[in-house]
DNA sequence: TAGTGTGAATGGATTCACAGCC
DNA sequence: GGCTGTGAATCCATTCACACTA
């Protein structure tokens, strides 16, 4: 369920602010979701709450992490150290969520061998080292941050090297076998969705006067 | 419909490769969608295809752009020129999709007044100039690329300044009034979704032997 | 009383199946 | 023969309503 991650993020936030318990209504209100929806989502994985009380924030955080698989750390690799890749490498939010960027690859020979800004003990590797590194460091997730034209080739290389999941920032649809999980984020597509919905909103307003 | 943007991206790709017509089956196969799904989606907006032939790629691209509102250019602003913001500012893919980054804001006084790397004629502005700039340049979409702690304040400022849509990269849920459209992208959440689905896949494999 | 867990009902999205057109 | 557009059927997610519990 895609909402589970959002529940967890919100709950971690609430936990930092010292909240002990939370009701489905409170959690839902913070995320624009109905209380019934929250309860259905959580109940699907077991009995987490106490009638009359709500949910223990700390307990729920622990259980959600377990469900999402982030109660242990995942090793992650990145392909493509352009602007976006560099931003991802420097982002300090992954660590806290249970992900560790342990290897970075690029096709540009000018970058290979140099340290990755913002990452300790990681130097840029050549693409041909991919498979070796994946098995040596037990890497299961790969992030693609390369131009569209290179996307499919990199996806193929990741699949061959044995990763189980791919997060794809290249603005292209990459074909992967069904046993490999893929998520895609395309900035331009996101903006298009926005402009579409803004346009639709404007029409509704027009119709309403 | 969220798939519309993906259809458009794929069609633009096919157009560049010289394709004249495309069938719902071909288009669907490229995106892991059934042919019936493609036809339903497109038919919702009108009669675009010819039985026996398929769809004209060029015509369909034009019609989809019209539907998505990207047949004309949208002015866009960016708040936050950290690693991610800089990557977005330097990304050359927006222009081709009908979006132009015309203003960049940051709270860091050390950055204000300096040119934005990769953008012609754009210098970093202070937050207090937001509302003025939005109305002067007729900006309707805003991108948030600031730390989580600053997200809500920036969202509020954008709403007050009069933008119609917000693309939020801050890892926090921002409350906005219903007449403002919002899309959110959280890199860490994306990875969590992946790890969840990879875990689920593994269990299915286990069960199957 | 406040709030969970859950069957029943609803509604929206997806698939099926096919008539009609090129 | 190949392919679209679309009603009918199906599936799945969401909401409703409430029995039950701390």
């Amino acid at each position: 369920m895609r909402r589970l991650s959002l529940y967890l993020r919100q709950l971690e936030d609430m936990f930092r602010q010292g909240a002990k318990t939370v009701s489905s209504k409170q959690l839902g209100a913070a995320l624009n979701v109905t209380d019934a929806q929250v309860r259905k989502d959580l109940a699907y994985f077991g009995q987490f709450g106490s009638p009359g009380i709500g949910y223990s924030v700390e307990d729920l955080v622990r259980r959600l992490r377990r469900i999402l698989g982030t109660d242990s750390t995942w090793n992650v690799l990145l392909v493509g150290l352009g602007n976006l890749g560099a931003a991802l490498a420097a982002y300090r939010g992954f660590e806290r969520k249970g992900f560790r960027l342990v290897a970075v690859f690029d096709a540009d020979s000018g970058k290979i061998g140099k340290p990755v800004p913002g990452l300790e003990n990681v130097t840029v590797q050549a693409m041909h080292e991919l498979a070796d590194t994946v098995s040596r460091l037990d890497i299961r997730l790969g992030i693609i941050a390369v131009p569209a034209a290179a996307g499919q080739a990199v996806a193929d290389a990741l699949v061959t090297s044995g990763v189980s999941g791919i997060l794809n920032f290249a603005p292209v649809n990459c074909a992967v076998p069904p046993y490999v999980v893929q998520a895609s984020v395309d900035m331009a597509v996101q903006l298009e969705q926005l402009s579409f919905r803004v346009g639709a909103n404007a029409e509704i307003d027009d119709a309403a006067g």
Side-chain angles (χ1 to χ4, degrees), chain A:
Chain A
M1 212 63 88
R2 72 183 181 291
R3 279 186 302 270
L4 245 41
S5 303
L6 299 178
Y7 294 156
L8 177 55
R9 192 179 66 182
Q10 184 66 35
L11 286 163
E12 286 171 335
D13 208 37
M14 289 170 163
F15 181 71
R16 274 193 295 272
Q17 285 168 28
K20 294 297 180 201
T21 67
V22 66
S23 71
S24 56
K25 184 177 293 203
Q26 293 169 328
L27 185 51
L31 298 169
N32 303 316
V33 175
T34 67
D35 55 339
Q37 184 77 76
V38 173
R39 291 200 298 278
K40 259 274 176 2
D41 288 345
L42 296 179
Y44 179 81
F45 295 97
Q47 317 247 121
F48 296 163
S50 315
I53 306 293
Y55 302 86
S56 155
V57 175
E58 185 171 6
D59 182 53
L60 197 46
V61 165
R62 191 162 34 236
R63 287 168 183 270
L64 285 180
R65 282 188 185 146
R66 169 77 62 101
I67 292 167
L68 288 168
T70 55
D71 51 340
S72 60
T73 299
W74 294 62
N75 284 343
V76 179
L77 69 81
L78 167 70
V79 181
L81 198 59
N83 285 302
L84 178 57
L88 292 168
Y91 179 44
R92 303 253 55 86
F94 291 138
E95 202 83 18
R96 222 178 347 143
K97 284 283 184 171
F99 301 99
R100 184 174 302 147
L101 207 47
V102 295
V104 174
F105 298 84
D106 201 292
D108 179 357
S109 58
K111 294 176 181 166
I112 294 166
K114 297 189 174 157
V116 179
L119 285 182
E120 300 286 328
N121 303 325
V122 177
T123 59
V124 182
Q125 294 178 270
M127 286 300 290
H128 67 77
E129 300 175 78
L130 193 61
D132 265 7
T133 304
V134 166
S135 60
R136 184 164 49 84
L137 299 180
D138 188 28
I139 297 171
R140 277 182 291 174
L141 301 181
I143 302 176
I144 299 180
V146 301
Q152 182 65 60
V154 171
D156 291 345
L158 287 177
V159 169
T160 304
S161 76
V163 305
S164 311
I166 295 177
L167 178 52
N168 177 25
F169 286 95
V172 63
N173 194 276
C174 295
V176 300
Y179 58 84
V180 173
V181 174
Q182 183 183 198
S184 285
V185 178
D186 182 333
M187 317 284 179
V189 164
Q190 297 291 330
L191 278 181
E192 263 177 5
Q193 308 273 9
L194 263 194
S195 79
F196 174 56
R197 289 166 57 201
V198 167
N201 254 15
E203 280 163 37
I204 292 167
D205 292 350
D206 282 356

